[in-house]
Amino acid sequence: MTKEETEHYFDWAATSPCDAEILRKSLEETIEKWGNPSSLHSCGKEAKVLLEEARERCAKNLNVAADKVYFTSGGTESDHIPLLSIINRPQKGHVLFSSIEHPAVREQALELKKCGFSVDSIPSDKNGIIRPEAVVKALKAETLIVCVMAVNNETGAIQPIYEIADAITKACAGKRKPKFHVDCVQAAGKIPLNLSHKGIDSAAISAHKICGPRGIGLLYLKDPIEGFLRGGGQEKSIRSGTENVYGALALSYCLEKYLINDKNEESIKRYEKQQEYTKDFIDGLSKNSACTILPSSRIESEKDFSPWVLQASFKNIPGQVMLRALDNEGFYISTGSACSSRKNSRPVLEAMQISPKESENAVRFSFGPLTSQKAMKELLAKVNEISAKFNK
């Protein structure tokens, strides 16, 4: 993409532009030390050192122990591993996932139903937020795993994962506690994260959402689990397959640069700036009588939403039409999850009880570290201009 195209790219929740400096650095390191990390000779040992340095760097920035970090092929696999691990159990049990989950969790959970597990979804409130009391109410004695994402990829709703973790722990006091898995793909680099919170058992992160390459992800595991898929035993048999050293390095450098935490002052400033930019963008959309922010309560409770993702619906304009109209003008947005772009259903909006027409007309704007205030103002002007043409 050209510099101008990148400036007008507002689909960061689908994927992010790559940090060329980080990718080049990672590639150069692995060109020099290209061995298989599992090989016992010097060439392999050199690559192993790079891999473990990447693991240590990831762990340091996530504030967890390095032996709890496992490299995967991406967010989807990092979501699947904890879910599939329960297949090894001698008895079937109960699986709970939130009604606003990404397809990586939702679809895999439904597949477990075919394997004999009972599966239920946890209802969200009208704001697209999963409340701790709703999770506790859905728990059963045989619940094995609970999945609630940290930030919704369509609405930006921040889920109270720490409160949910505490609620599960309290509700299961003196009894076996189900594992609590958190999809952090839209949270890493977007909001502060604390994976060391005692009630979180596993978490998924993907590099290509934070300016890294595709095909590499990270799984945090509080305690070891038995992997379902077998192979050469890499990543302590949690994720067999020759390790992607280049990807691991790139992911570690991206976490170091883009993760939001107290150690990274620049990331905090970036976050605060984006909060201002998004507030101005929402204020501008709110003046358009043909626009509805989804959920509408976001206008008053912005603290409950990530400033990097916003959903809105426009009267008389199907989402696909708005997308194409903006695309023709050199602005890039989406209608929702890229993984569901060819499907007509909108499970997240349905869970929020958004009307079918508003769902059909909904689009997603998502932003990133390279998004400028100027570009967002240009987007706002263009969106309102298109909206006006359809609502004369």
Side-chain angles (χ1 to χ4, degrees):
M1 294 180 87
T2 65
K3 184 174 182 295
E4 183 178 349
E5 287 174 326
T6 302
E7 286 178 350
H8 288 160
Y9 180 74
F10 302 101
D11 196 18
W12 284 73
T15 197
S16 60
C18 292
D19 187 312
E21 183 179 344
I22 285 177
L23 267 59
R24 289 192 189 100
K25 178 182 179 181
S26 303
L27 183 59
E28 287 170 3
E29 289 185 59
T30 47
I31 286 174
E32 183 179 344
K33 298 178 179 179
W34 44 265
N36 186 324
S38 296
S39 298
L40 299 179
H41 47 63
S42 298
C43 190
K45 288 178 180 178
E46 287 181 343
K48 182 72 170 180
V49 168
L50 283 186
L51 182 69
E52 294 311 314
E53 286 177 350
R55 197 185 313 278
E56 291 280 354
R57 194 175 298 111
C58 289
K60 179 181 178 182
N61 285 283
L62 291 168
N63 196 30
V64 298
D67 64 357
K68 299 183 187 300
V69 171
Y70 302 82
F71 293 114
T72 69
S73 65
T76 294
E77 188 178 32
S78 294
D79 282 330
H80 284 182
I81 291 173
L83 277 165
L84 291 176
S85 71
I86 67 174
I87 293 179
N88 291 317
R89 294 179 62 88
Q91 293 181 326
K92 306 302 181 187
H94 181 232
V95 176
L96 268 180
F97 67 97
S98 85
S99 57
I100 59 160
E101 288 302 296
H102 186 277
V105 169
R106 182 177 64 250
E107 297 299 323
Q108 188 59 59
L110 293 175
E111 284 297 309
L112 288 172
K113 192 172 184 177
K114 299 177 183 178
C115 299
F117 292 85
S118 62
V119 178
D120 288 312
S121 66
I122 308 160
S124 76
D125 66 13
K126 63 181 181 180
N127 298 319
I129 295 176
I130 304 298
R131 300 296 175 185
E133 54 269 26
V135 177
V136 171
K137 184 178 179 181
L139 288 173
K140 296 180 180 179
E142 61 271 25
T143 303
L144 300 174
I145 188 168
V146 178
C147 302
V148 180
M149 67 196 328
V151 173
N152 184 258
N153 55 300
E154 293 193 35
T155 67
I158 299 173
Q159 306 304 315
I161 55 172
Y162 311 115
E163 291 85 348
I164 290 172
D166 291 343
I168 294 172
T169 300
K170 183 178 179 181
C172 298
K175 299 177 286 186
R176 181 191 54 78
K177 185 183 85 69
K179 298 294 186 182
F180 181 43
H181 175 71
V182 182
D183 181 331
C184 294
V185 169
Q186 293 296 340
K190 305 294 177 66
I191 64 170
L193 273 180
N194 178 20
L195 297 187
S196 61
H197 188 89
K198 61 183 180 181
I200 295 176
D201 296 293
S202 58
I205 288 174
S206 181
H208 78 99
K209 307 292 187 180
I210 48 174
C211 300
R214 298 176 183 86
I216 183 70
L218 177 154
L219 172 64
Y220 161 76
L221 283 177
K222 179 182 176 183
D223 299 307
I225 60 175
E226 186 178 354
F228 174 67
L229 299 176
R230 307 296 183 176
Q234 293 90 341
E235 297 297 297
K236 300 179 187 175
S237 294
I238 296 297
R239 199 276 175 179
S240 291
T242 303
E243 301 93 337
N244 179 357
V245 180
Y246 157 73
L249 282 170
L251 171 56
S252 72
Y253 292 133
C254 285
L255 286 174
E256 187 173 60
K257 182 173 181 178
Y258 295 106
L259 203 66
I260 297 174
N261 56 43
D262 294 337
K263 302 172 188 174
N264 188 343
E265 289 186 18
E266 193 60 37
S267 72
I268 298 292
K269 291 178 183 177
R270 216 166 33 232
Y271 181 58
E272 291 173 345
K273 279 185 179 178
Q274 189 59 44
Q275 286 178 311
E276 293 176 16
Y277 297 168
T278 301
K279 184 182 182 304
D280 290 344
F281 187 72
I282 290 174
D283 288 345
L285 287 177
S286 299
K287 294 172 183 175
N288 180 346
S289 60
C291 176
T292 301
I293 304 297
L294 300 177
S296 57
S297 61
R298 175 168 182 161
I299 298 170
E300 288 79 37
S301 57
E302 182 59 21
K303 63 179 177 57
D304 294 328
F305 294 85
S306 164
W308 309 93
V309 181
L310 173 68
Q311 186 91 197
S313 184
F314 294 86
K315 185 178 178 182
N316 296 326
I317 317 176
Q320 292 283 356
V321 174
M322 175 64 85
L323 185 155
R324 289 195 296 271
L326 284 170
D327 190 24
N328 290 337
E329 298 289 341
F331 293 80
Y332 311 104
I333 65 165
S334 71
T335 55
S337 170
C339 298
S340 301
S341 62
R342 299 189 186 279
K343 300 178 182 179
N344 293 323
S345 63
R346 298 293 299 273
V348 172
L349 300 185
E350 289 172 15
M352 296 165 59
Q353 299 181 357
I354 302 297
S355 71
K357 178 52 69 176
E358 282 189 324
S359 294
E360 182 188 353
N361 293 358
V363 294
R364 180 182 69 184
F365 306 103
S366 54
F367 317 110
L370 302 181
T371 305
S372 68
Q373 187 176 32
K374 173 178 174 289
M376 288 185 69
K377 286 181 177 179
E378 291 170 349
L379 172 64
L380 176 63
K382 188 57 64 176
V383 165
N384 284 337
E385 177 187 318
I386 293 169
S387 176
K389 289 180 182 178
F390 283 82
N391 290 280
K392 292 180 179 179

